[in-house]
Each structure stands twice: as C-alpha cells, then as structure tokens.
Amino acid sequence: MRSPLAARQDRATKVLDLSRRMDEFIVARNPDAASSLPYLLRLPIEGGVWFKAAQTWPRAARIYCHPADPPDGAALEILERVPVHVCERRGAAIDLVLDRVQNRRSQFVFTAHRGRSLILWQTSKAAHSARPGVRIPYSPIAAGGRIAVDTRERYGYRFASRGVTVERRALVAGDYAVLRAESVVASVERKTLENFVASLNDGSIDYAMADLARLPSAAVVVEAPYSKLIKHPYTPAGYLIDLVARVQVRHPSVPIVFLESRKLAEEWTFRFLRAALAHHAAPQLKLPEGLNLDKADPRAAKPRRKRNSKLGVRRIEEE
C-alpha cells in the first residue's frame, strides 16, 4: 500500500505547468464542486480552449460540453495529458486526433437546438449510435440563389429544376462558382476526359489548380471514371495516373473527382457548391455569439415533468 506522502507527490507532479508543451490534450478535474460537469478539457487551439464535460471521453454516446474559463493552473489536478497529432477547425466542428493507440479520434461539434447553443463531443461510433434529435445547421441554396458560370465555358451545366439562377460572368478560376458578398467562396473546374488528358500533357492543369487553390473551396470534376486514364489508347499505361498523382500532391486542397457521366458530374458540382456556400455562410468555429461563460451550466437546471390531463402527454419544463 502506498503511503499518503507518495500519493501527494504524485498529485503534485500532475499539476498543470503552463511552461510545458501546449500541443497536448488535457483532462483535469473541475475544481468547481457544485458543477454537474466534473471534468475540464483543454484543446490546443487558439492559445488553448477549455470546456467542461461530464466524462473524460465519448465512449458510448455524445457528451455535452460547456465553455469554461481558463482555470488556475497551480491548483488544477491533471488526470490525463496526451500529445496531439491534429487539432483543427473544419466547418462547424473541431477535429481532434491524439497520439495514442485507442480512443484517438473525436470531434467537437458546434450546433444549436431550439434556440440554445450546444457543443457536443463525439466519436464516429457515438455519432452513428446516437439519436439526440439535434443536427448540425444546414442551409441549401435558397430559391433565387445564383451560380456563376464562366463566360468561356461552352455547353455548360444548366442546373435545371434546382431553383437557382445561372448567370454568365468572367471567373478568375474555375468554370462554376458561388459568391457571397460578390466574393467567390467556391469554384469547380469542369473537364471532359479528352480535355483533362490534354491539360495533363501540356501542364495547364497545374496552373488551373494553382488558381483554384487560392479560393476557400475548390475542386476539379472530370466527366469520366478513373479507369479511363489507365486504359487510355494514346498514352503508355500508368503515365496519366502518375501525372494525376503528382498534381494532386502539389495541390492537396483541390480534389480531383472522377464521375462516370456528365449527369453525375453536374449533380456533384451542384451539391459541392451548395455545401460550400452553406459552410462559408456560417460562423467559422467561434464560440456561439451571446453565450455567456459566467452563466451556470444548462445541465444544472433540473427538469420538472408535468402531465397534460386532457392529452395525456408529458412535457418537460425548465425550472
């Protein structure tokens, strides 16, 4: 049995030292004993973001998190600290990848439900098994939305029955784009198989993807399956796919997507532009506006059940 002195020394070594590496995921005990969220989490992003949580990892279900002020490091009891491979903003979420074998990947999702801002901590397993009735905000292109088509594009997509207006205008990069406040937020370069092969051979695809890489979101869509490059009759086997690999490595932010037909390419282009417009219209992973960190945890309020005698339906009201 360990002595009390040894136990106190172990706890002292776990005290948060702000001079240590800050690219670590930290789990600590919440010093606020009155809180219903007994743990503190620190993400190594934007100088360190702190949350309160009910558990140390979302093993079976999504976990509700609440923003927390930076604690007093001198009195904080650290339960776990793990080196971080990735901690990045991606849309309405923060992706977290830890440097360990198990419980590596998770995600902090910023969403809203019935007017209340929520932060949910989840893994892919927990996200598939959970049915919380809460979804990430999603905004398709509204009726009357616009898709810009480059003036040099011939026989372009019409996006019929999509409820959008197609307008011709000169685009710096790509053939189809969506704009927000007259600024291009996403663009797609369309290529037929013959045009794509020619651009690979003369190197023009490299310059086109360099222009697309300057935009917030961009892609190249090819109206042919990937196998057509391998079986191309006028080039050696493997030559074209090697060129594709090289330009993709050089411009990793601009994916090259191969579709089996023109119809599928048009469908993919529309969905990509719609998703990009919705993504850039939402706040980029900032804490929800109007969220007061000084307020008590929403979980602290105990629900009270009432029965409607006429309908026989239970409803929950916050005290």
Side-chain angles (χ1 to χ4, degrees), residues 197 200-203 229-230 232 234-246:
V197 171
L200 285 172
N201 287 321
D202 62 21
L229 297 179
I230 303 175
H232 197 270
Y234 305 115
T235 55
Y239 174 73
L240 293 177
I241 57 178
D242 281 343
L243 292 180
V244 171
R246 292 178 184 178

Side-chain angles (χ1 to χ4, degrees), residues 5-244:
L5 177 59
R8 287 196 298 271
Q9 290 176 346
D10 288 345
R11 286 196 298 270
T13 58
K14 293 183 178 181
V15 169
L16 179 61
D17 182 6
L18 297 179
S19 64
R20 291 182 56 180
R21 291 174 52 200
M22 300 315 295
D23 55 344
E24 293 179 322
F25 173 68
I26 296 175
V27 180
R29 196 174 302 279
N30 190 351
D32 184 6
S35 175
S36 62
L37 304 175
Y39 300 103
L40 292 180
L41 313 172
R42 182 191 180 277
L43 302 183
I45 187 172
E46 296 183 353
V49 177
W50 289 87
F51 297 114
K52 292 180 280 188
Q55 301 178 27
T56 60
W57 188 260
R59 292 177 175 82
R62 290 170 173 169
I63 296 176
Y64 170 79
C65 297
H66 191 74
D69 292 322
D72 182 9
L76 195 63
E77 180 182 356
I78 302 300
L79 303 177
E80 190 176 12
R81 56 194 315 161
V82 186
V84 172
H85 271 319
V86 177
C87 186
E88 295 181 355
R89 299 177 175 183
R90 299 183 189 275
I94 296 178
D95 288 343
L96 178 67
V97 181
L98 303 180
D99 184 13
R100 61 186 181 188
V101 178
Q102 295 182 340
N103 298 332
R104 297 180 61 243
R105 299 179 180 273
S106 65
Q107 189 178 62
F108 291 80
V109 180
F110 294 76
T111 183
H113 180 57
R114 295 181 180 178
R116 171 182 291 179
S117 298
L118 296 178
I119 303 173
L120 301 177
W121 187 20
Q122 65 181 18
T123 61
S124 59
K125 180 180 179 180
H128 284 299
S129 61
R131 295 294 184 270
V134 187
R135 296 294 181 267
I136 297 175
Y138 175 69
S139 300
I141 296 180
R146 297 178 302 163
I147 294 181
V149 181
D150 188 55
T151 53
R152 294 162 293 184
E153 174 73 348
R154 300 178 60 187
Y155 312 112
Y157 301 147
R158 295 182 297 175
F159 303 107
S161 304
R162 295 296 187 180
V164 296
T165 301
V166 178
E167 63 177 25
R168 308 281 294 190
R169 63 188 301 168
L171 298 177
V172 176
D175 298 316
Y176 305 90
V178 286
L179 296 85
R180 180 173 173 81
E182 297 302 319
S183 297
V184 175
V185 297
S187 184
V188 173
E189 177 83 11
R190 181 184 71 91
K191 295 290 185 183
T192 62
L193 178 62
E194 295 77 11
N195 184 239
F196 185 65
V197 171
S199 64
L200 285 172
N201 287 321
D202 62 21
S204 61
I205 187 65
D206 189 39
Y207 295 97
M209 293 180 68
D211 291 334
L212 291 170
R214 298 189 179 96
L215 300 176
S217 299
V220 176
V221 61
V222 183
E223 298 174 347
Y226 183 77
S227 59
K228 292 291 186 180
L229 297 179
I230 303 175
K231 303 175 182 179
H232 197 270
Y234 305 115
T235 55
Y239 174 73
L240 293 177
I241 57 178
D242 281 343
L243 292 180
V244 171

Side-chain angles (χ1 to χ4, degrees), residues 276-292:
L277 185 62
H279 168 75
H280 292 285
Q284 295 301 300
L285 288 182
K286 297 179 181 178
L287 291 179
E289 296 182 2
L291 191 61
N292 190 347

